[in-house]
Amino acid sequence: MKYRKLKSVALVALSMTLFANSAQAETLRVGMECTYAPFNYRTADGELTGYDVDVAKGVSSLIGAEVEFVCQKYDGMIPALLANKFDLIVASMSITEKRRKKIDFSSPYRISVGRLVGKKNGNFNLFNADGSVNVDGFDGVKVGLERASTYENWFVAKVPDANILRYDNNEAMYLDLQNGRTDVIMTNPMKAFLKFLSKEDGAGYEFVSPAINETEYFGVGVGIGLRKGNDELLGRINTALKQLTNDGSLEKYALKIFPFAIHPDKWVDLNY
Amino acid sequence: MTFDFSLIFSSIPKLLSGLGLTLELLILSSFIGLVLAVFTLLMRISGRWFLMAPAVAYIYIFRGTPILVQIFVIYYGLPQFEFIRTGVLWPILREPFWCCVIALSLNAGAYVSEILRGGVLGVDKGVLEAASALGISKSQRFIYITSPIAIRLSLPAYCNDTISMTKATALASTVTLLEMTGVARTIVAQTFSPYEIFISVAIIYMVMAWMLQKGFGLLEIRMSRYLKATAG
């Protein structure tokens, strides 16, 4: 039994090296949660769909590889990749220094941003025309955000005198926004859209800021993960992602779900 | 795990920036609570059922529910009603600070009125009989004879309640207020060092409790002078 298992592992490893060397008839096994709507999840018909799924399909078709999805719990994602259960992680995984010690990442295909939500026609004057912060505009404006989130770090750095209300969870923050205890909230625009703005409760509210994506505070974003030492594959993935960014495919994938794009507006090269 | 003592010393000044708000909550709530308690006590011992019943109900409700739940009901529950949000009280109820003051005051009122009632019941009957024999009226008896003795009798329990109240102000951190515990939780979320920070904040609360205990102790000694005189 043990021997057979060993043998199959050896076979997989062998086939992997073969595939990496020959670009044709290659199958890329992609790990994702399959339960993380709207990025990777199954529809009622059992079909895998979402932004991550579109990206994985887009990349593999440009590379000329078949794609095969493997569902894996998020907390075991990196160990499973390292154990060769699949070849790529396309699971909305943020690129962090800690993870980069274990695996390689492609350039980001989705960004981490923050955005302010407030009442429609609230006459906010929080940002200048060029998208920079208008510090004076925050006079007398109460800003709700989650305690110790990246948004708090950004806010304290940019508008030190802002009147910040710190919440322990999102629900309380949205309740207070609707009650009028806080004037604006800073949050993840994708969540804000899916859970609030697109719902009845959020009808009187809108984004009152541009997307704020300073990587110094919010990180570079979400990338495709792969085992270290696959530089050739990494190169091909990056080329494919660059093409998907430039030809508008990534925007198209996002617009299926959100009324805005969620990829970096400028091509980001991670320095390895 | 390593225990970073220097973090305790460096975090205490930051934590003290929340002390002002903690004290404001404590002093305001204790004061309003005391006023409420006196009125509730008078209703409770009035002997008239239509005054006693509301007092008993109020005490029962606020002693029977957690302060945290009371804060949540006032802070999150009330604004669910349209008439609250458009009503005259909204400027007060929209502020987390006042929501906490209301909850803590109502709570203190319920507990302290029972403490005072214990004091009133503890006054020696003989003293009151002597007073009435001297022709002192009922209201004068209450003001000049019952009250001073009842207050002295209530002091140890009242001290206890004030210390409880000091610690209950920490619950304000759950509704965005940056009093000491709120500051501590924010620092913990930034430094990932719960031990050091929470121990620091515990030390500050302990110092406050010690000061309250000492203060009430001195007050008690002062108010018991007449007992010493007779003993000596």
Side-chain angles (χ1 to χ4, degrees):
Chain A
M1 189 64 202
K2 206 172 177 188
Y3 176 69
R4 253 169 69 187
K5 208 170 175 183
L6 262 176
K7 210 161 118 184
S8 62
V9 168
L11 261 173
V12 170
L14 184 69
S15 55
M16 273 314 299
T17 27
L18 284 176
F19 280 143
N21 291 338
S22 61
Q24 68 269 40
E26 177 182 16
T27 302
L28 285 173
R29 291 165 306 159
V30 171
M32 54 175 57
E33 266 181 292
C34 308
T35 53
Y36 189 57
F39 299 109
N40 57 77
Y41 65 105
R42 285 187 196 283
T43 60
D45 312 328
E47 193 194 345
L48 263 181
T49 184
Y51 187 74
D52 291 337
V53 176
D54 286 342
V55 169
K57 284 179 180 164
V59 166
S60 44
S61 84
L62 283 178
I63 290 180
E66 296 285 314
V67 63
E68 184 190 319
F69 293 106
V70 180
C71 296
Q72 165 69 42
K73 281 213 160 149
Y74 197 76
D75 54 4
M77 198 65 81
I78 290 177
L81 175 77
L82 296 177
N84 211 344
K85 296 246 168 70
F86 40 79
D87 311 307
L88 303 177
I89 295 175
V90 190
S92 291
M93 186 175 276
S94 294
I95 302 165
T96 63
E97 284 311 309
K98 208 170 148 196
R99 288 179 180 143
R100 281 176 71 172
K101 285 188 183 131
K102 295 239 158 136
I103 61 174
D104 280 349
F105 275 104
S106 74
S107 291
Y109 65 88
R110 173 152 81 76
I111 33 166
S112 304
V113 296
R115 229 172 147 180
L116 296 169
V117 176
K119 251 205 168 79
K120 273 183 192 160
N121 310 316
N123 288 321
F124 295 112
N125 187 20
L126 310 177
F127 288 80
N128 301 317
D130 62 352
S132 60
V133 187
N134 175 19
V135 175
D136 297 332
F138 281 93
D139 271 355
V141 175
K142 287 184 189 158
V143 184
L145 36 78
E146 270 190 272
R147 199 190 294 277
S149 57
T150 48
Y151 311 120
E152 181 182 344
N153 299 338
W154 181 86
F155 229 95
V156 169
K158 297 291 170 172
V159 195
D161 295 329
N163 188 352
I164 298 179
L165 301 175
R166 290 166 176 83
Y167 290 91
D168 295 326
N169 61 62
N170 254 303
E171 285 69 29
M173 188 170 80
Y174 280 103
L175 271 179
D176 270 4
L177 176 67
Q178 293 170 68
N179 290 336
R181 283 205 182 103
T182 173
D183 300 307
V184 296
I185 58 170
M186 187 173 194
T187 186
N188 176 330
M190 289 172 286
K191 272 192 204 149
F193 175 76
L194 291 175
K195 289 195 164 165
F196 184 62
L197 292 174
S198 62
K199 300 273 166 67
E200 200 184 320
D201 282 347
Y205 297 85
E206 63 181 358
F207 288 115
V208 294
S209 80
I212 302 155
N213 62 353
E214 283 161 67
T215 53
E216 187 192 340
Y217 297 96
F218 301 115
V220 278
V222 160
I224 297 178
L226 64 167
R227 280 182 296 279
K228 284 187 180 288
N230 285 318
D231 289 351
E232 188 261 348
L233 179 62
L234 178 62
R236 285 192 293 152
I237 289 172
N238 276 336
T239 313
L241 279 177
K242 191 169 190 173
Q243 192 177 331
L244 291 175
T245 307
N246 293 338
D247 70 9
S249 298
L250 288 183
E251 188 172 353
K252 204 179 75 198
Y253 301 155
L255 292 181
K256 286 187 198 172
I257 315 167
F258 305 106
F260 44 82
I262 55 177
H263 63 272
D265 48 3
K266 280 188 296 251
W267 175 250
V268 184
D269 247 327
L270 288 185
N271 292 318
Y272 280 99
Chain B
M1 105 140 243
T2 53
F3 196 86
D4 189 354
F5 277 101
S6 63
L7 196 57
I8 293 189
F9 296 113
S10 63
S11 67
I12 283 185
K14 278 189 233 159
L15 292 169
L16 286 176
S17 70
L19 181 62
L21 194 55
T22 297
L23 289 176
E24 272 177 53
L25 282 168
L26 174 65
I27 292 168
L28 256 173
S29 310
S30 298
F31 178 73
I32 301 173
L34 191 58
V35 173
L36 271 173
V38 170
F39 278 105
T40 313
L41 169 74
L42 293 175
M43 287 164 76
R44 183 85 169 77
I45 60 172
S46 66
R48 294 186 179 85
W49 69 268
F50 57 89
L51 290 176
M52 281 168 76
V56 170
Y58 159 63
I59 291 167
Y60 177 66
I61 291 170
F62 281 89
R63 282 204 311 181
T65 50
I67 305 182
L68 184 63
V69 173
Q70 292 161 17
I71 291 177
F72 281 174
V73 166
I74 293 171
Y75 187 83
Y76 291 117
L78 290 183
Q80 301 295 309
F81 299 104
E82 182 69 32
F83 70 90
I84 296 274
R85 271 176 302 168
T86 50
V88 283
L89 285 178
W90 184 237
I92 291 174
L93 287 172
R94 69 178 280 174
E95 297 301 327
F97 176 77
W98 290 110
C99 287
C100 288
V101 168
I102 292 170
L104 292 172
S105 304
L106 286 170
N107 210 277
Y111 274 95
V112 174
S113 84
E114 283 298 275
I115 290 171
L116 293 179
R117 192 169 73 96
V120 169
L121 294 180
V123 176
D124 189 7
K125 276 224 167 57
V127 179
L128 295 173
E129 279 165 8
S132 78
L134 285 171
I136 299 174
S137 77
K138 201 180 171 191
S139 57
Q140 278 178 326
R141 275 206 311 269
F142 187 78
I143 296 169
Y144 296 111
I145 296 167
T146 307
S147 298
I149 300 174
I151 291 172
R152 189 187 57 75
L153 289 176
S154 308
L155 265 185
Y158 183 66
C159 167
N160 216 357
D161 190 71
T162 307
I163 290 175
S164 287
M165 190 67 146
T166 312
K167 294 176 293 178
T169 57
L171 295 171
S173 68
T174 57
V175 288
T176 76
L177 285 184
L178 283 182
E179 43 66 69
M180 265 189 322
T181 306
V183 175
R185 292 172 65 189
T186 305
I187 302 176
V188 168
Q190 285 159 358
T191 58
F192 306 112
S193 325
Y195 267 133
E196 291 87 342
I197 306 297
F198 284 135
I199 284 175
S200 311
V201 85
I203 292 171
I204 302 177
Y205 280 111
M206 275 161 69
V207 171
M208 285 174 73
W210 178 81
M211 282 162 59
L212 282 169
Q213 206 175 308
K214 278 284 157 201
F216 274 99
L218 290 174
L219 196 62
E220 214 180 307
I221 291 172
R222 191 176 156 73
M223 291 188 77
S224 308
R225 280 169 302 170
Y226 71 100
L227 287 179
K228 273 213 177 109
T230 48

